[in-house]
C-alpha cells in the first residue's frame, strides 16, 4: 500500500506515509502526504523508528477530548516516538546532533520561558505543545518534525536498544517513573503499594515500584488475568483481579494485614478506580493519579482529613526524568512487553487496545 509508494517518493525527497485522523470516531486514514521540511533553525526532522500507542491516542481519535484538547484535523497522532535524525536546522551543530543519531523524542514541547519550563517541567508548560495531541503532528508516520533539538535525547553508548523499546519509554515508561518518584519516600519495607491497571503504564510502574521502593510489597490490580500474570512476572508480590473478587475490601485487608494500601498508583483514572483506591487506603496513604479515563469523582471529606490522605496528580515526566529512564534501559534494568504493528495495521492495534486486548504496549513501526 502507501508504504511502497512512499519509499519511491521518499527517495525523491518529498512524500511520506502517515496515519491521520480525518473524522473523530473513524479509523485513521493511511495516506501519502508531504514530508515535513525544516523551516526554522532549531528544528529537526526525525525518521520514525517506532511510535507507541497510548490510551490518550484513543481518547483523541474518539473525539473525547474535543473540548479540553481541541486539535485541527486531519492530524497524525502518536506521542511516544523514537527514531533517527534525518535533517537538522542551521542552529543544530554536529556536536549537538547529526544525521543518523538515534534519539528519543521528549513529548513536552514547552515554550522554554514560563516558570514550569524554567524549572525543568516543560511537559507542564503554560502554552504546551504535545506532538500528536495538539497543533503538531505526531509519530504515526515515516517522519516527524520536532520544533527544537532541545526535545531530543540522544541515545549513545554501547547498547542494543531498539526504537520499539525506546518509544514507549517516552510516555508509558516515563509517566509512572515521575509518579513513583513523587511518593518514593513512602515506599519502604512493610508498606503496600497498589498499582491499578497493568496496561502499558502499569507494566512499567510495577518495575519502578520494585526498583525505587526498597522492600515494599507491590500489589498488581487489573480485571484481566493475562495482565496480572505479566505484573507478577515483572515483580508484583500479589495480584488482585478486581472483577473476579466479590469482596475487594476483604481481599485487600488480607494482603495488607488489615491496614490497606500505603500508596496507590491509579493508571486508569475512572471514578470506580479512584473509589477502589480511596476505600482501601491506609492512614496517611497516598494516591497518585495518572490515568485519564474518567471525568469526575467524589472525595470522602471526613476520611481524607481524619486519615490525612494525600492525593497527587502527575503529568507525564520531564526531560531529565526521561534521561533517567533511558539510563535505566541502557543498563538493562527495564523489561519491555511489546506488541508490534506495521503502520498500515495501526487501526488493528487501535481496535485491540480499545478492547483491552493489548498486554504491555503496542508499538507502530513505519
Ligand atoms: C494526555 C493529554 C495531554 C497531555 C499529556 C497526556 C498524557 O497522558 C500522555 O499520554
Ligand atoms: Zn500517552
Ligand atoms: Zn513554558
Amino acid at each position: 500500500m502507501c508504504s511502497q509508494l512512499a519509499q519511491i517518493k521518499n527517495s525523491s525527497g518529498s512524500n511520506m506515509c502517515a496515519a491521520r485522523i480525518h473524522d473523530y470516531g473513524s479509523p485513521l486514514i493511511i495516506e501519502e502526504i508531504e514530508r515535513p521540511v525544516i523551516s526554522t533553525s532549531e528544528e529537526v526532522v526525525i525518521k520514525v523508528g517506532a511510535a507507541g500507542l497510548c490510551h490518550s491516542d484513543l481518547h483523541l481519535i474518539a473525539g473525547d477530548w474535543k473540548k479540553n484538547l481541541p486539535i485541527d484535523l486531519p492530524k497524525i497522532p502518536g506521542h511516544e516516538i523514537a527514531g533517527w535524525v534525518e535533517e537538522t536546522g542551521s542552529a543544530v551543530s554536529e556536536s549537538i546532533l547529526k544525521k543518523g543519531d538515534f534519539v528519543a523524542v521528549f513529548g513536552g514541547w514547552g515554550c522554554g520561558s514560563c516558570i514550569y519550563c524554567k524549572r525543568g517541567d516543560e511537559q507542564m508548560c503554560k502554552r504546551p505543545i504535545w506532538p500528536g495531541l495538539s497543533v503538531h503532528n505526531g509519530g504515526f508516520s515515516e517522519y516527524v518534525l520536532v520544533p527544537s533539538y532541545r526535545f531530543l535525547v540522544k541515545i549513545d553508548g554501547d547498547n542494543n536498544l531498539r526504537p520499539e523499546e525506546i518509544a514507549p519509554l517516552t510516555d508509558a515508561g516515563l509517566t509512572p517513573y515521575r509518579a513513583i518518584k513523587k511518593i518514593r519516600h513512602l515506599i519502604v519495607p512493610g508498606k503496600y503499594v497498589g498499582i491499578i491497571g497493568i496496561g502499558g503504564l502499569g507494566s512499567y510502574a510495577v518495575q519502578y515500584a520494585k526498583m525505587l521502593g526498597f522492600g515494599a510489597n507491590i500489589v498488581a490490580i487489573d480485571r484481566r488475568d493475562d495482565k496480572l500474570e505479566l505484573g507478577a512476572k515483572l515483580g508484583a508480590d500479589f495480584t488482585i483481579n478486581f472483577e473476579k473478587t466479590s469482596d475487594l475490601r476483604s481481599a485487600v485487608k488480607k494482603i495488607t494485614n488489615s491496614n490497606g494500601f500505603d500508596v496507590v498508583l491509579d493508571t486508569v483514572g475512572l471514578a470506580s478506580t479512584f473509589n477502589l483506591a480511596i476505600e482501601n487506603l491506609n492512614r496517611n496513604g497516598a494516591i497518585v493519579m495518572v490515568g485519564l479515563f474518567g471525568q469526575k469523582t467524589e472525595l470522602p471529606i471526613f476520611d481524607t482529613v481524619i486519615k490525612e490522605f494525600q492525593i497527587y496528580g502527575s503529568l507525564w515526566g520531564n526531560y531529565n526524568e526521561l534521561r533517567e529512564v533511558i539510563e535505566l534501559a541502557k543498563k538493562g534494568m527495564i523489561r519491555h512487553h511489546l506488541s508490534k504493528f506495521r503502520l498500515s495495521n495501526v487501526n488493528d492495534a487501535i481496535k485491540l487496545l480499545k478492547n483491552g486486548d493489548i498486554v504491555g504496549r503496542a508499538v507502530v513501526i513505519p
Side-chain angles (χ1 to χ4, degrees):
M1 359 203 317
C2 169
S3 60
Q4 272 194 346
L5 190 57
Q7 271 164 17
I8 298 161
K9 290 268 186 168
N10 276 345
S11 58
S12 73
S14 61
N15 281 14
M16 68 172 184
C17 193
R20 296 199 291 181
I21 311 169
H22 280 255
D23 297 299
Y24 288 123
S26 298
L28 300 184
I29 295 184
I30 296 147
E31 56 195 334
E32 193 185 331
I33 60 168
E34 267 181 44
R35 195 172 124 176
V37 289
I38 300 273
S39 61
T40 65
S41 61
E42 285 193 7
E43 287 174 348
V44 181
V45 173
I46 302 299
K47 181 171 167 50
V48 177
L53 177 66
C54 175
H55 274 284
S56 297
D57 296 315
L58 301 194
H59 291 297
L60 191 83
I61 294 165
D64 297 344
W65 290 351
K66 258 186 268 186
K67 278 200 190 125
N68 296 342
L69 220 58
I71 52 166
D72 50 319
L73 300 181
K75 174 78 60 200
I76 307 172
H79 52 277
E80 291 187 340
I81 311 163
W84 300 275
V85 171
E86 176 70 18
E87 204 183 335
T88 54
S90 58
V92 189
S93 67
E94 287 218 340
S95 63
I96 300 173
L97 282 173
K98 58 182 181 313
K99 186 170 169 143
D101 281 348
F102 182 27
V103 289
V105 179
F106 169 66
W109 296 350
C111 69
S113 58
C114 74
I115 56 165
Y116 305 100
C117 285
K118 284 291 182 197
R119 76 173 194 208
D121 285 326
E122 296 209 27
Q123 83 285 9
M124 291 187 61
C125 177
K126 280 181 158 180
R127 292 171 289 276
I129 296 176
W130 303 296
L133 291 164
S134 54
V135 291
H136 273 254
N137 277 319
F140 294 155
S141 63
E142 290 180 297
Y143 296 88
V144 64
L145 180 75
V146 178
S148 173
Y149 63 88
R150 292 193 298 112
F151 305 132
L152 297 170
V153 179
K154 187 169 158 185
I155 299 158
D156 46 13
D158 199 12
N159 56 69
N160 293 319
L161 291 167
R162 303 185 47 74
E164 57 267 35
E165 292 163 343
I166 293 294
L169 294 183
T170 65
D171 179 16
L174 175 59
T175 303
Y177 182 75
R178 179 179 177 86
I180 299 274
K181 272 185 79 176
K182 279 191 185 195
I183 39 73
R184 189 178 177 181
H185 56 290
L186 301 175
I187 316 181
V188 294
K191 300 290 182 183
Y192 289 84
V193 182
I195 312 278
I196 303 181
I198 309 301
L201 276 73
S203 61
Y204 292 106
V206 167
Q207 300 181 61
Y208 299 137
K210 206 76 189 168
M211 211 185 294
L212 302 174
F214 64 103
N217 303 289
I218 314 303
V219 186
I221 306 163
D222 204 288
R223 62 191 164 96
R224 290 266 303 237
D225 285 335
D226 48 359
K227 296 184 183 180
L228 291 172
E229 271 164 35
L230 176 64
K233 211 164 97 188
L234 296 173
D237 303 284
F238 304 92
T239 60
I240 300 177
N241 185 320
F242 67 77
E243 242 172 44
K244 289 188 181 166
T245 307
S246 54
D247 186 350
L248 210 55
R249 276 181 120 142
S250 301
V252 175
K253 276 189 167 178
K254 196 168 163 204
I255 289 172
T256 63
N257 298 322
S258 293
N259 289 321
F261 295 119
D262 300 286
V263 168
V264 179
L265 176 65
D266 184 1
T267 75
V268 180
L270 282 168
S272 58
T273 54
F274 182 82
N275 287 343
L276 192 169
I278 206 141
E279 283 168 7
N280 292 285
L281 204 58
N282 197 359
R283 300 178 87 76
N284 223 189
I287 300 174
V288 191
M289 299 172 65
V290 296
L292 284 166
F293 265 87
Q295 299 287 331
K296 270 189 184 174
T297 188
E298 285 185 356
L299 189 71
I301 293 173
F302 192 79
D303 274 358
T304 302
V305 175
I306 299 298
K307 295 186 183 173
E308 289 200 346
F309 289 158
Q310 308 168 66
I311 296 165
Y312 297 77
S314 191
L315 176 65
W316 216 326
N318 68 28
Y319 183 87
N320 283 334
E321 287 162 343
L322 176 58
R323 289 183 69 132
E324 289 168 22
V325 165
I326 289 171
E327 287 306 317
L328 289 175
K330 280 186 188 170
K331 282 180 172 273
M333 291 174 74
I334 298 182
R335 288 158 75 189
H336 310 272
H337 198 281
L338 307 170
S339 307
K340 299 178 206 169
F341 295 83
R342 303 301 317 195
L343 181 58
S344 49
N345 296 329
V346 64
N347 288 308
D348 297 339
I350 289 169
K351 210 179 283 172
L352 287 167
L353 184 64
K354 208 182 278 177
N355 292 336
D357 287 334
I358 298 284
V359 181
R361 200 56 150 181
V363 282
V364 174
I365 299 173

